[in-house]
Amino acid sequence: MTSFKASSCHSLNGSIKVPGDKSISHRSIMLGSIANGITNVSGFLEGEDSLATLRAFQQMGVQIERVGSNITIHGEGKHGLSSPSEPLDLGNSGTSIRLMSGLLSAQSFNSQLCGDESLSKRPMARVIEPLSMMGALIDSYESKPPLFITGNQKLSAINYTLPVASAQIKSCLLLAGLYAEGETCIVENSTTRDHTERMLRGFGYPVKTSNGQISLMGGGELHACDIEVPSDISSAAFFIVAASIAKEADITLSAVNINPTRTGILDILALMGANITLTDERVVAGELVADIQVCSAKLRGIDIPQKLIPLAIDEFPVIFIAASCATGETLLTGAKELRVKESDRIQVMADGLTILGIENEVLEDGIRIRGGEFSKQNSIIKSHQDHRISMSFAIASSRSEYDIKIEDVDNVQTSFPNFVELANRIGMNIEEI
Ligand code: S3P
């Protein structure tokens, strides 16, 4: 079991490129596998989560070659997947299991989807229920993985309003909808990441979107295309916060995906007074990217606007670190979803912040954080099998005088394998022990 020893640092400087976007990497494998023809992907995230998706499709007979972050997928067409001989082990990855449950519900063969201890605790009723309404047959114990999917069901389209703001549910149903009879229509009351819709269009599959309604007709085909995966703003977020809270910093993160459904972190930090500049905005393979320059700033506490929550859903652990270094109080409410991520991110962050000497109050659907100093020596934090908890507390060291030890950080491999290398390259002081 690896730990981080994160020590104080002087100033943060330099230009780095964080790895490819996790959401886009997953989707590139899924859509490339069911497309007709060869899809070439560059900038693929070589993290355990996206590799779990890649291996699962190889298990279903898709020829996929990987040289570093370059992937070649020999698409089998929509009906070309074959029955896996073993259960598909999706590790820690909620995105893999939820999206694939939609796709596999529509196949002619049975499948079994499972994962690690953290994934096995995560709620799946949110996909099982609407998929069952479409005609899917999925068994599980208390709606938690493993999921047993019986194939050969005839799916019919549904009209479904998302009960929680979730791109995973939306994407799961759109993938099932590709095979359903009729037009599947998903209504979302809050905007969630739209990579599935964008990528489907990139594969030549028509998707209509207007006023929070996303719809597609079943029965069409996907045509292979080339995908350049931009850098993941959820990984960039760690260094955006590190530079914002450091005493001195001027860093640039190049070619980061700034899809407007993902930029809540930038808006929240701007409200807190951060010094962030976007330059060279451009479109790459249907996604907006920019270089992000971040200098240190005096942050102030804010009430986090509700509409930004789904747009920053993965960034709250590190936003809580920013809030700990701000003057005054930061209040987050309406964010119950954080309790069902890779860990209960409200409770786990609150416990860690208390260990570091930051006053906070846990709310059922959020947290109140009073900015202060990381004032405790010999702090030991547990990651609770959650990569973003591991990295967030490591980032706290860019403002802490004292070492912070974070235990059980192998999970960082799921989304950001070279986190330590990049952190140290800009002047942080993180050691793996
Ligand atoms: C993701 C959607 C989000 C996010 C997850 C990736 C995706 O989950 O937390 O890390 O790729 O669709 P929810 O849609 O459940 O909020």
Side-chain angles (χ1 to χ4, degrees):
M1 188 173 86
T2 314
S3 298
F4 285 155
K5 181 176 149 222
S7 308
S8 64
C9 50
H10 300 294
S11 63
L12 303 186
N13 289 290
S15 178
I16 51 173
K17 186 171 184 339
V18 302
D21 187 90
K22 182 152 76 68
S23 295
I24 297 176
S25 295
H26 283 300
R27 288 158 170 81
S28 69
I29 298 290
M30 296 180 195
L31 298 190
S33 294
I34 58 166
N36 299 317
I38 294 180
T39 291
N40 292 301
V41 184
S42 60
F44 184 80
L45 170 65
E46 299 171 75
E48 282 306 321
D49 277 11
S50 37
L51 290 172
T53 294
L54 185 154
R55 283 190 287 265
F57 280 85
Q58 285 175 327
Q59 274 181 263
M60 292 188 283
V62 183
Q63 189 190 335
I64 306 176
E65 289 127 22
R66 180 168 81 87
V67 180
S69 61
N70 291 315
I71 312 279
T72 306
I73 308 164
H74 299 258
E76 290 286 347
K78 261 177 73 199
H79 298 280
L81 300 179
S82 52
S83 171
S85 54
E86 305 266 315
L88 302 171
D89 184 351
L90 302 167
N92 192 250
S93 178
T95 306
S96 310
I97 199 165
R98 296 216 178 96
L99 270 59
M100 286 175 62
S101 61
L103 195 58
L104 293 179
S105 290
Q107 304 305 314
S108 57
F109 51 82
N110 300 345
S111 49
Q112 188 180 330
L113 307 181
C114 60
D116 69 6
E117 198 186 321
S118 154
L119 190 67
S120 304
K121 291 184 198 146
R122 297 186 65 187
M124 296 296 145
R126 54 183 58 200
V127 289
I128 296 174
E129 280 167 16
L131 285 173
S132 304
M133 287 160 59
M134 295 178 82
L137 203 52
I138 306 177
D139 278 324
S140 67
Y141 178 65
E142 293 182 346
S143 298
K144 303 267 165 68
L147 303 181
F148 301 88
I149 301 178
T150 304
N152 246 334
Q153 310 299 313
K154 198 165 151 10
L155 301 190
S156 37
I158 46 167
N159 242 297
Y160 190 70
T161 301
L162 295 179
V164 281
S166 167
Q168 290 182 350
I169 308 177
K170 171 178 67 177
S171 303
C172 162
L173 300 178
L174 290 176
L175 292 178
L178 295 176
Y179 296 83
E181 196 173 302
E183 187 176 37
T184 294
C185 178
I186 314 295
V187 180
E188 53 180 16
N189 294 319
S190 319
T191 306
T192 66
R193 65 190 69 191
D194 64 356
H195 305 299
T196 304
E197 298 89 303
R198 282 175 192 254
M199 201 182 282
L200 278 170
R201 290 191 190 111
F203 277 90
Y205 204 101
V207 182
K208 285 189 276 177
T209 42
S210 84
N211 298 327
Q213 286 203 17
I214 304 107
S215 45
L216 56 75
M217 284 297 295
E221 295 285 322
L222 284 78
H223 307 287
C225 64
D226 288 349
I227 298 171
E228 201 175 322
V229 182
S231 290
D232 196 331
I233 193 167
S234 297
S235 297
F238 296 106
F239 300 132
I240 296 175
V241 169
S244 296
I245 65 175
K247 292 219 170 73
E248 277 179 42
D250 182 353
I251 67 162
T252 300
L253 301 152
S254 58
V256 180
N257 183 213
I258 52 157
N259 177 319
T261 63
R262 296 287 298 282
T263 46
I265 172 80
L266 302 180
D267 298 330
I268 290 170
L269 288 174
L271 291 171
M272 295 176 82
N275 185 349
I276 300 174
T277 315
L278 302 192
T279 51
D280 199 9
E281 288 188 29
R282 57 224 187 251
V283 176
V284 176
E287 290 279 356
L288 194 57
V289 303
D291 299 335
I292 304 181
Q293 184 191 16
V294 193
C295 297
S296 49
K298 284 204 177 345
L299 301 183
R300 51 184 178 270
I302 57 163
D303 284 5
I304 296 176
Q306 293 293 309
K307 70 171 192 312
L308 294 180
I309 295 173
L311 313 184
I313 193 67
D314 290 337
E315 285 65 77
F316 283 104
V318 81
I319 289 170
F320 297 167
I321 299 295
S324 303
C325 302
T327 51
E329 217 171 70
T330 295
L331 176 66
L332 173 70
T333 58
K336 233 188 194 151
E337 273 296 294
L338 295 181
R339 290 196 180 270
V340 291
K341 293 294 179 187
E342 286 83 329
S343 69
D344 174 347
R345 288 183 174 161
I346 293 175
Q347 193 60 53
V348 168
M349 283 304 298
D351 292 344
L353 292 179
T354 304
I355 291 171
L356 295 183
I358 299 294
E359 252 181 73
N360 64 82
E361 184 194 346
V362 170
L363 311 171
E364 193 210 344
D365 62 347
I367 191 168
R368 189 189 301 279
I369 297 171
R370 173 160 291 281
E373 306 253 310
F374 299 123
S375 58
K376 297 281 166 65
Q377 296 188 38
N378 305 319
S379 303
I380 300 180
I381 311 273
K382 292 195 188 319
S383 76
H384 292 263
Q385 298 179 305
D386 187 336
H387 54 137
R388 300 204 199 276
I389 301 292
S390 302
M391 290 185 275
S392 296
F393 282 108
I395 290 305
S397 66
S398 61
R399 182 65 167 260
S400 171
E401 270 180 59
Y402 304 113
D403 290 355
I404 302 169
K405 183 178 178 197
I406 305 111
E407 288 183 337
D408 187 13
V409 297
D410 292 318
N411 43 51
V412 168
Q413 296 301 319
T414 60
S415 68
F416 199 163
N418 60 346
F419 168 72
V420 171
E421 185 204 324
L422 292 183
N424 291 339
R425 204 186 298 166
I426 56 167
M428 294 192 68
N429 202 349
I430 304 175
E431 206 186 325
E432 286 173 288
I433 54 173

